[in-house]
Amino acid sequence: MSAYLYYPGCSMEASALAYHESLMAICEPLGLNLDEIEDWNCCGATEYVGVSTTPAYALICRNLALAKEQAKGTDTVVAPCSACYLNLAKANYYMRERPSLGEKVNAALAAGGLHYEPDSLIIRHLLDVIINDIGLDTVKSKVVRPLTGLRVAPYLGCMVPRPDYQKRWSDHEHPNELDRLLRALGAQVIDFPLKTHCCGGHMTQIGPATAFELIRRLIASAQQHQADLMATVCPMCQMNIDAYQAETNRHFRTNYRMPILFFTQLMGLAFGLDPKRLGFGREFVNAQPALSRIGVEVPTNEAEQKPPRIPGRRDKNLPMPRMPGEEEN
Amino acid sequence: MSDVVAQGLDPSNPNLRFLEEVSRRTAGVSRLEMCIQCGTCGGSCPSSADMDHTPRMLFAMIRAGMREEALQSNTPWICVSCYHCVVRCPQDVHIADVMYTLKSMAIHAKLYRDSTPPHFSQTFVDMVEKYGRSYEFGLATRHYLKHFPLRLPGMAPMGLGMLTRKRIELKPRRIRGIQQLHAILERAKEVEENE
Ligand code: SF4
Ligand code: SF4
């Protein structure tokens, strides 16, 4: 059993519930022991750092301070979410690179009776731990239902391979870790040129046109390479490409139906686990047609079979509501 | 803004220290002063087409002390934190973090022109400060009602889909140590102000 401190992050409890469920299901076969940090808080995503610096880093570091107190026999924190992983890793790194930041953060933490010594923990992403600690040999040995014939686009997004403070990834722009893992599951992995391109991040919320174009590029490229589905390591990427695919289609008058699953769901399938435990049916773009190609039945969401009719189409000429910057807040 | 060239020539102009200020406020070592204006960042940027200025131009403006113009630029708000420029920059400038700094400075100085992105960030932060966790339902309803009411009808099936798939929770989760978190954030804000 390899034991790690575990920082789930907010998405795992809701929007990425399928990631959580499938991860919990594969822990046992992988011999992965995740010790959840008690009473962890949100990492601030990509929002708090854009509002004010010291509070944003203090928010992140409360988690690190709690993790350090809880640590028994390991100094490694694992995060499944890309943004959480980067925030934790960044705080760890910058507090040492710029000691004045470390002092300010610790002055703040002291108000809550906490302290964190920069770099006293190691922050790693779940995929890194599975590839480099558990290893592909172990993964392969657990495969009882290989995904033979399933064409998968490996999609990492931005914040796992970049900026990569600890130089853990094989490449910043074309890393091969996810490809190797999916191949170990028996899948046919396409050479996906946009594997570390952006999913639009929070732009789906604040600048949809910018986001839709980024989403469109990814789906179009995956489709062009005849992928049956995309596999992701990130809750935000999954959400944007999956839940916003319909809106993206409306925006461009396209008709893409590209499913995107968490890599842990595919691992669970290949390990022969009951699909009911793997979060299937939570995706908006139904993955069943793709999985039928390899003879796998998974639970689906009924609503997905008959997409509700959307009343009227968004008028492209309607202006976005804008407010004068001075007005408030 | 008045004549920028004349401003730039005035040695008493505090904006000449703008570069220093941006650098100081950035979390790590920004290395912004090391920028050689090569343009690799703009050429790597997936969303530069929607930006008022490419990152390179923005950094030239910062160096030229064009404080207001730089803080009014939509560039930091369009930046999606993809870190493509960061790993390609020959000078290791912490570009994405500089963008965060510029956003926070624009909020502080109320110089942003489109209120949608800063309100979204602030609403997110409000939720986190209140509960210690993000609260997507509260965030989405507040945000869309205020900024994208016209998008709501089209979004309704998705919202419903999120609910039926149990991908959004109606009630927020609050951490046990919320008092502790409040104390930490209060102190952090004091430290930030006294900078
Ligand atoms: S890539 Fe780096 S050095 Fe080149 S213009 Fe951009 S910030 Fe400056
Ligand atoms: S981090 Fe921001 S500025 Fe840099 S390439 Fe990505 S979107 Fe552009």
Side-chain angles (χ1 to χ4, degrees):
Chain A
M1 272 279 181
S2 339
Y4 300 90
L5 292 154
Y6 178 55
Y7 179 82
C10 305
S11 315
M12 295 299 269
E13 297 179 330
S15 65
L17 195 54
Y19 198 3
H20 169 78
E21 291 164 327
S22 51
L23 172 58
M24 291 305 121
I26 62 170
C27 273
E28 206 228 290
L30 289 179
L32 186 59
N33 180 0
L34 300 176
D35 181 16
E36 181 169 333
I37 300 165
E38 283 284 317
D39 206 37
W40 55 272
N41 56 259
C42 172
C43 75
T46 48
E47 306 311 317
Y48 213 148
V49 277
V51 172
S52 57
T53 310
T54 310
Y57 281 84
L59 180 82
I60 299 169
C61 287
R62 176 177 174 274
N63 296 307
L64 295 178
L66 293 177
K68 188 69 194 171
E69 282 181 359
Q70 186 178 324
K72 280 189 298 287
T74 178
D75 282 331
T76 301
V77 177
V78 180
C81 165
S82 305
C84 299
Y85 159 69
L86 178 56
N87 273 339
L88 297 172
K90 186 182 261 193
N92 207 24
Y93 183 77
Y94 281 169
M95 281 171 78
R96 195 178 45 121
E97 181 185 75
R98 189 121 179 265
S100 62
L101 176 72
E103 283 159 24
K104 285 189 271 185
V105 167
N106 271 319
L109 288 179
L114 296 174
H115 180 84
Y116 179 68
E117 199 54 38
D119 249 356
S120 59
L121 290 170
I122 301 161
I123 316 298
R124 295 172 64 186
H125 187 268
L126 176 66
L127 177 65
D128 166 18
V129 164
I130 293 179
I131 289 271
N132 295 310
D133 290 8
I134 293 170
L136 290 181
D137 288 341
T138 305
V139 171
K140 268 187 210 145
S141 73
K142 300 292 169 190
V143 173
V144 298
R145 209 255 160 261
L147 308 177
T148 315
L150 189 68
R151 290 178 62 88
V152 184
Y155 180 54
L156 284 154
C158 311
M159 295 181 185
V160 168
R162 292 185 298 273
D164 190 17
Y165 298 112
Q166 303 301 333
K167 307 276 171 280
R168 292 198 163 274
W169 301 92
S170 53
D171 191 82
H172 291 142
E173 308 199 38
H174 298 283
N176 60 24
E177 281 82 354
L178 185 56
D179 304 49
R180 284 159 48 214
L181 178 77
L182 293 167
R183 234 175 264 132
L185 304 179
Q188 195 179 340
V189 180
I190 68 158
D191 189 6
F192 187 39
L194 303 188
K195 68 163 73 152
T196 70
H197 281 229
C198 179
C199 71
H202 68 180
M203 295 308 277
T204 40
Q205 313 301 314
I206 59 177
T210 301
F212 294 155
E213 170 56 16
L214 296 174
I215 294 170
R216 186 200 62 79
R217 284 180 207 173
L218 293 166
I219 300 175
S221 174
Q223 175 124 327
Q224 199 187 2
H225 288 78
Q226 287 150 20
D228 294 321
L229 50 80
M230 296 168 72
T232 180
V233 302
C234 172
M236 173 73 97
C237 296
Q238 203 283 338
M239 177 81 181
N240 278 357
I241 292 166
D242 181 39
Y244 288 93
Q245 198 168 129
E247 221 186 341
T248 303
N249 274 331
R250 280 205 298 281
H251 186 82
F252 293 107
R253 303 184 185 202
T254 47
N255 196 20
Y256 292 114
R257 296 194 62 70
M258 179 58 67
I260 176 162
L261 297 173
F262 293 103
F263 75 109
T264 43
Q265 292 180 281
L266 293 176
M267 289 181 79
L269 273 190
F271 293 173
L273 302 177
D274 182 354
K276 287 200 195 76
R277 294 172 59 205
L278 301 173
F280 285 98
R282 300 206 188 282
E283 72 278 5
F284 278 76
V285 181
N286 188 3
Q288 180 60 64
L291 295 172
S292 295
R293 287 202 49 226
I294 59 163
V296 172
E297 285 292 321
V298 293
T300 54
N301 189 303
E302 286 307 312
E304 176 61 25
Q305 306 312 308
K306 260 199 190 149
R309 286 232 40 92
I310 287 103
R313 201 178 39 231
R314 211 156 57 92
D315 187 342
K316 272 173 98 178
N317 298 318
L318 284 174
M320 284 298 176
R322 299 213 174 226
M323 313 234 173
E326 255 64 23
E327 202 180 88
E328 49 180 279
N329 271 39
Chain B
M1 175 141 203
S2 59
D3 189 347
V4 174
V5 177
Q7 269 200 354
L9 291 174
D10 176 3
S12 66
N13 178 359
N15 288 350
L16 288 178
R17 306 192 73 110
F18 186 44
L19 171 68
E20 205 180 298
E21 186 186 347
V22 173
S23 207
R24 177 165 49 79
R25 288 183 180 276
T26 302
V29 178
S30 82
R31 295 180 53 88
L32 187 54
E33 59 288 350
M34 304 299 282
C35 170
I36 54 168
Q37 290 290 298
C38 68
T40 304
C41 44
S44 309
C45 183
S47 42
S48 59
D50 296 330
M51 290 174 169
D52 291 340
H53 311 94
T54 63
R56 179 196 63 78
M57 283 165 79
L58 190 63
F59 299 159
M61 288 157 62
I62 294 171
R63 184 174 293 177
M66 295 163 69
R67 182 189 177 92
E68 264 179 53
E69 290 88 340
L71 293 183
Q72 279 172 350
S73 174
N74 77 351
T75 297
W77 302 101
I78 296 288
C79 167
V80 289
S81 307
C82 74
Y83 295 86
H84 269 295
C85 57
V86 175
V87 294
R88 291 182 185 177
C89 170
Q91 292 295 82
D92 272 332
V93 177
H94 291 183
I95 300 168
D97 292 297
V98 170
M99 296 296 179
Y100 289 133
T101 306
L102 292 170
K103 290 198 234 192
S104 66
M105 290 174 78
I107 291 177
H108 205 74
K110 292 199 179 4
L111 279 174
Y112 50 84
R113 280 180 313 193
D114 176 2
S115 63
T116 307
H119 283 177
F120 178 75
S121 296
Q122 190 58 56
T123 311
F124 186 97
V125 166
D126 289 348
M127 301 287 171
V128 171
E129 290 188 352
K130 189 156 178 207
Y131 303 114
R133 293 285 182 84
S134 82
Y135 174 37
E136 285 180 44
F137 185 73
L139 175 64
T141 44
R142 272 177 68 173
H143 179 68
Y144 281 104
L145 278 176
K146 176 151 188 174
H147 290 287
F148 295 105
L150 301 174
R151 231 176 125 191
L152 272 175
M155 300 279 299
M158 176 187 147
L160 206 62
M162 292 292 285
L163 282 170
T164 61
R165 288 168 175 79
K166 303 212 168 26
R167 289 180 63 169
I168 195 157
E169 294 181 308
L170 292 176
K171 283 207 203 113
R173 297 191 189 210
R174 192 192 293 269
I175 62 167
R176 289 195 306 279
I178 191 71
Q179 305 292 351
Q180 177 193 47
L181 181 63
H182 286 162
I184 291 171
L185 293 177
E186 275 315 302
R187 180 76 60 83
K189 286 175 193 172
E190 286 163 26
V191 171
E192 184 93 335
E193 303 248 304
N194 295 336
E195 226 204 307

